[in-house]
Amino acid sequence: MIRIAIFGFGAVGKGVAKILMDRERMNRLIGNYSVVAVADSKGSIVSSSVNLKEALKIKEKNGRLPDGMNVIEIIEEVDFDVALELTPTNIDTGEPGLTHIKKCLKKGANVITSNKGPLVVAYKELSKLAERSGVKLLFEATVGGAMPVIKLIKRDIAGNRIRSIKGILNGTCNYILSRMEKERLSYRMILAEAKELGIVEANESYDVEGIDSAAKLVILANSLMDMDVSLKDVEIEGITEITPEAFEIALEKGYTIRLISEVSEDVLRVSPRLIPLNNPLCVHGTLNAILIKADLAGEIFVIGRGAGSLETASAVISDLAELYSC
Amino acid sequence: MIRIAIFGFGAVGKGVAKILMDRERMNRLIGNYSVVAVADSKGSIVSSSVNLKEALKIKEKNGRLPDGMNVIEIIEEVDFDVALELTPTNIDTGEPGLTHIKKCLKKGANVITSNKGPLVVAYKELSKLAERSGVKLLFEATVGGAMPVIKLIKRDIAGNRIRSIKGILNGTCNYILSRMEKERLSYRMILAEAKELGIVEANESYDVEGIDSAAKLVILANSLMDMDVSLKDVEIEGITEITPEAFEIALEKGYTIRLISEVSEDVLRVSPRLIPLNNPLCVHGTLNAILIKADLAGEIFVIGRGAGSLETASAVISDLAELYSC
């Protein structure tokens, strides 16, 4: 019986809960399991078998879980095999996820996270800690949502040396740029549209200044290319200065503009780049896309949904399968 | 110490041997290993540690390995942990790979294969046999070469129900069609060009009649979508009847023509289809491409190199990592 603790009950946490309620699917994937705790920033439900349907109903109705143990108390007092750390990203401190993950790894629990913050701030420390504790830290959901990246590089093309990874890692920026391309309207107008659609982070600069993309690039560099870099090592330029005129000129020459994140031996950069219109990286809407250059496999190109509740939850579930697949 | 036997020493086998000679790469990936046998259809080298450089040199010089035990004798008399079954595909009988794989699984050795034949002829039987023997049968290299497909669906998006898989699974047909698109020359002329490049199978109908694509589709359907279908269940139409005029008409309307393999609950078909020029499936040259529809992750799209010695060997190596990754 796999005992699962869920920390964070926002879009991703709720998506994960919905999938975990599908017993037929999940039993086939990982065998028997039980959710023993669900916590958000306000409260929690702890039980030998949390009723997820009930938890989702309470969250829906009250906007929060009932008073109860906080995450730290749960980690200290409740037995579980794996924590799903799905709290919001803080790219400066990594908190509260960083403390949660450290405490879980130290007590010998596996951790699956969708939270970029802890990995951006302390990837090497956390991966060493996991190794010393004989547990795993998995994080497919931190980059590309449902688009396979981490496991694709670590497993599907295992043995390859990765020469470079280049792609579109922020769906919001891609939405804005592909709308600007189509409508030839100003950045400000399209940003307002994106906000109305609810696809811009509360702190919009995370998206449009390229910080979210840079955070993901740091995770890829450190976990897949044996680097040891941090956010300050990334050359970052966002999309706020791009004008309809820039698109006009680009399109005339058969190009468009996309926010491209790139890591190779010589490059660690997030910046708007000219992309040929017939290049597969020229994806539209909120899609993510990635081009991997590997020494044996050659070029591999992937497109997928970079965000969304069930989509990101899907990546979390694939990490659960990685740990417990039967 | 992992003991590896290599059966088949053509393009894929030689590619695998070259990668296995890179001790630094491979030790990091799977720890200690030794190749204990290499065999082709004419001869073999059996040793507690086969000198692969020497084996490649002999093969290069004589076009074959020296007289020695045949594969059946090696399976019966030599101890190994995993067989790399890389003999040529026979889609009708599955032989000689089918017998090799059965014997290896029965004796309790894992099998990694690039040979479509045995899987097309007897997937269910072989997977049951592997399960009963407590060993694994892995086959990433059978579909898409270096393009991740099998592990991508089984692992990277584990937990998803696959609604459909649709794509370009034969690089030779794609080369011919993308050249016809560009040059507006006849099928026959471009086929001759492809033959000169050495990218057409000896039995050209495997490629151009869609049989190779159909074989791969059967493998995907049975292994990833819980089906139990065989080659005769696939509606197959090849590319031999496509004319420059058909391209003319398609291109005028913003479409091109590609040989598309598709499997879903209702469809099991290989046929030339109209594809919008701006669709990512419209890849060029010998590339392969695949569009996966999954219930949680949504649409995932992948492009990669569908063939090539090192590329296909890369997929074999990723299966070795799946078994023995350290």
Side-chain angles (χ1 to χ4, degrees):
Chain A
M1 174 72 78
I2 305 154
R3 295 160 303 176
I4 302 171
I6 302 175
F7 304 142
F9 210 47
V12 182
K14 288 188 281 185
V16 168
K18 281 173 198 159
I19 302 172
L20 289 176
M21 284 166 57
D22 184 346
R23 287 264 158 197
E24 194 197 327
R25 181 198 302 261
M26 292 305 302
N27 284 334
R28 198 173 158 180
L29 192 66
I30 61 170
N32 279 321
Y33 64 95
S34 178
V35 174
V36 297
V38 182
D40 64 11
S41 59
K42 304 275 175 43
S44 66
I45 301 172
V46 174
S47 152
S48 61
S49 175
V50 173
N51 181 332
L52 290 170
K53 196 173 168 189
E54 195 60 27
L56 284 165
K57 207 185 284 175
I58 293 169
K59 179 82 180 181
E60 182 68 32
K61 189 169 158 227
N62 305 333
R64 52 161 291 187
L65 292 171
D67 288 337
M69 295 163 85
N70 65 32
V71 173
I72 303 293
E73 289 164 342
I74 293 171
I75 298 172
E76 287 172 351
E77 296 171 33
V78 177
D79 286 331
F80 54 85
D81 303 294
V82 55
L84 312 184
E85 217 296 325
L86 314 173
T87 64
T89 290
N90 178 314
I91 246 142
D92 302 314
T93 65
E95 297 298 354
L98 183 56
T99 300
H100 298 168
I101 294 177
K102 278 188 195 167
K103 285 182 93 68
C104 288
L105 295 176
K106 275 184 194 154
K107 83 172 226 172
N110 295 301
V111 175
I112 294 168
T113 188
S114 61
N115 185 340
K116 296 177 285 292
L119 300 182
V120 169
V121 171
Y123 176 75
K124 290 280 161 189
E125 183 190 352
L126 294 176
S127 59
K128 273 185 205 149
L129 184 53
E131 206 181 329
R132 270 207 309 278
S133 306
V135 293
K136 298 277 183 191
L137 169 61
L138 302 178
F139 46 89
E140 183 71 55
T142 58
V143 183
M147 177 179 75
V149 184
I150 314 274
K151 278 196 281 291
L152 188 148
I153 293 178
K154 278 199 181 177
R155 316 284 307 235
D156 303 0
I157 56 167
N160 278 263
R161 297 192 179 102
I162 306 305
R163 302 298 190 206
S164 66
I165 305 173
K166 179 176 169 180
I168 291 164
L169 301 179
N170 182 283
T172 304
C173 288
N174 204 66
Y175 176 86
I176 293 171
L177 294 176
S178 51
R179 288 287 295 161
M180 286 180 76
E181 171 191 323
K182 181 148 186 266
E183 306 293 340
R184 315 283 172 93
L185 293 172
S186 75
Y187 165 75
R188 285 287 148 204
M189 289 185 71
I190 304 286
L191 176 66
E193 177 187 299
K195 280 182 180 171
E196 262 176 45
L197 288 171
I199 60 171
V200 183
E201 298 229 17
N203 180 351
E204 73 185 46
S205 69
Y206 265 33
D207 285 323
V208 298
E209 301 286 358
I211 301 165
D212 173 73
S213 297
K216 291 164 177 166
L217 199 60
V218 165
I219 294 173
L220 296 179
N222 290 342
S223 66
L224 302 172
M225 294 180 73
D226 260 340
M227 296 187 175
D228 188 5
V229 298
S230 65
L231 208 52
K232 65 174 176 8
D233 301 314
V234 187
E235 270 183 67
I236 310 178
E237 188 188 335
I239 63 167
T240 59
E241 306 294 323
I242 298 173
T243 60
E245 291 70 33
F247 270 101
E248 206 75 55
I249 296 166
L251 288 163
E252 262 172 35
K253 300 195 186 293
Y255 288 80
T256 185
I257 302 169
R258 290 291 184 270
L259 185 69
I260 301 293
S261 303
E262 182 173 9
V263 53
S264 70
E265 210 184 323
D266 311 311
V267 176
L268 187 65
R269 184 171 59 208
V270 175
S271 62
R273 304 263 283 272
L274 289 171
I275 301 290
L277 283 167
N278 61 359
N279 186 298
L281 272 180
C282 169
V283 294
H284 295 268
T286 57
L287 287 173
N288 283 19
I290 204 157
L291 176 67
I292 301 149
K293 291 192 188 179
D295 70 337
L296 304 171
E299 295 193 356
I300 291 170
F301 178 77
V302 192
I303 303 176
R305 295 193 188 157
S309 169
L310 276 182
E311 287 85 348
T312 309
S314 167
V316 172
I317 296 296
S318 78
D319 280 346
L320 260 182
E322 176 91 358
L323 289 175
Y324 301 113
S325 132
C326 53
Chain B
M1 175 70 80
I2 305 155
R3 294 161 303 175
I4 302 171
I6 302 176
F7 304 141
F9 210 47
V12 181
K14 287 188 280 185
V16 168
K18 281 173 198 157
I19 303 172
L20 289 176
M21 283 165 58
D22 183 346
R23 285 266 158 197
E24 194 197 326
R25 180 199 302 262
M26 291 306 301
N27 284 334
R28 198 174 157 181
L29 192 66
I30 60 169
N32 278 321
Y33 63 95
S34 178
V35 174
V36 296
V38 182
D40 63 12
S41 59
K42 305 273 176 46
S44 66
I45 301 172
V46 174
S47 152
S48 61
S49 175
V50 174
N51 182 331
L52 290 171
K53 196 173 168 189
E54 195 60 27
L56 285 166
K57 205 184 287 175
I58 294 169
K59 178 83 181 181
E60 181 69 32
K61 189 169 156 228
N62 305 332
R64 53 161 290 185
L65 292 171
D67 288 336
M69 295 163 86
N70 65 32
V71 173
I72 302 293
E73 289 165 341
I74 293 172
I75 298 173
E76 286 172 352
E77 296 171 32
V78 177
D79 286 331
F80 54 85
D81 302 295
V82 56
L84 312 184
E85 215 297 326
L86 314 174
T87 64
T89 290
N90 178 313
I91 247 142
D92 302 313
T93 65
E95 298 298 353
L98 183 57
T99 299
H100 298 169
I101 294 178
K102 278 188 194 169
K103 284 182 96 67
C104 288
L105 295 175
K106 275 184 194 154
K107 84 172 224 171
N110 295 300
V111 175
I112 294 169
T113 188
S114 62
N115 184 342
K116 295 178 285 291
L119 300 182
V120 169
V121 170
Y123 175 74
K124 290 281 160 188
E125 182 190 353
L126 294 175
S127 60
K128 273 184 204 150
L129 184 54
E131 207 182 326
R132 268 206 311 277
S133 306
V135 294
K136 298 275 184 193
L137 169 62
L138 302 178
F139 46 89
E140 183 72 54
T142 57
V143 183
M147 177 178 75
V149 184
I150 313 275
K151 278 197 280 292
L152 187 147
I153 292 179
K154 276 199 182 177
R155 316 283 308 232
D156 302 1
I157 56 167
N160 278 263
R161 297 191 180 104
I162 304 307
R163 302 298 191 204
S164 65
I165 305 173
K166 179 176 167 179
I168 291 164
L169 301 178
N170 182 284
T172 304
C173 288
N174 205 66
Y175 176 86
I176 293 172
L177 294 176
S178 53
R179 287 287 294 159
M180 285 180 75
E181 171 192 324
K182 182 149 185 269
E183 306 293 341
R184 317 282 173 95
L185 292 172
S186 74
Y187 164 76
R188 285 288 146 203
M189 289 186 72
I190 304 287
L191 176 67
E193 178 187 299
K195 280 182 181 171
E196 261 176 46
L197 289 171
I199 60 172
V200 183
E201 298 229 19
N203 180 351
E204 74 185 48
S205 69
Y206 266 34
D207 285 324
V208 298
E209 301 286 357
I211 301 164
D212 174 73
S213 297
K216 290 164 178 166
L217 199 60
V218 165
I219 294 173
L220 296 179
N222 289 342
S223 67
L224 302 172
M225 296 181 71
D226 259 342
M227 295 185 176
D228 189 4
V229 297
S230 66
L231 207 52
K232 67 172 173 11
D233 301 314
V234 187
E235 269 182 68
I236 310 177
E237 188 187 334
I239 63 166
T240 58
E241 304 295 323
I242 298 173
T243 60
E245 291 71 34
F247 271 102
E248 206 77 55
I249 296 166
L251 288 162
E252 263 173 36
K253 301 197 186 292
Y255 287 79
T256 185
I257 302 169
R258 289 293 183 269
L259 186 68
I260 301 294
S261 304
E262 182 173 9
V263 53
S264 70
E265 210 183 323
D266 310 311
V267 176
L268 187 67
R269 184 172 58 209
V270 175
S271 61
R273 304 262 282 271
L274 290 170
I275 301 289
L277 283 167
N278 61 359
N279 186 301
L281 272 180
C282 169
V283 294
H284 295 267
T286 58
L287 287 173
N288 283 19
I290 204 156
L291 176 67
I292 300 149
K293 291 192 188 178
D295 70 338
L296 305 171
E299 294 193 356
I300 291 171
F301 179 77
V302 192
I303 302 177
R305 294 193 188 157
S309 168
L310 276 182
E311 288 85 348
T312 309
S314 168
V316 172
I317 296 296
S318 78
D319 280 345
L320 261 182
E322 176 91 358
L323 289 175
Y324 302 112
S325 132
C326 55

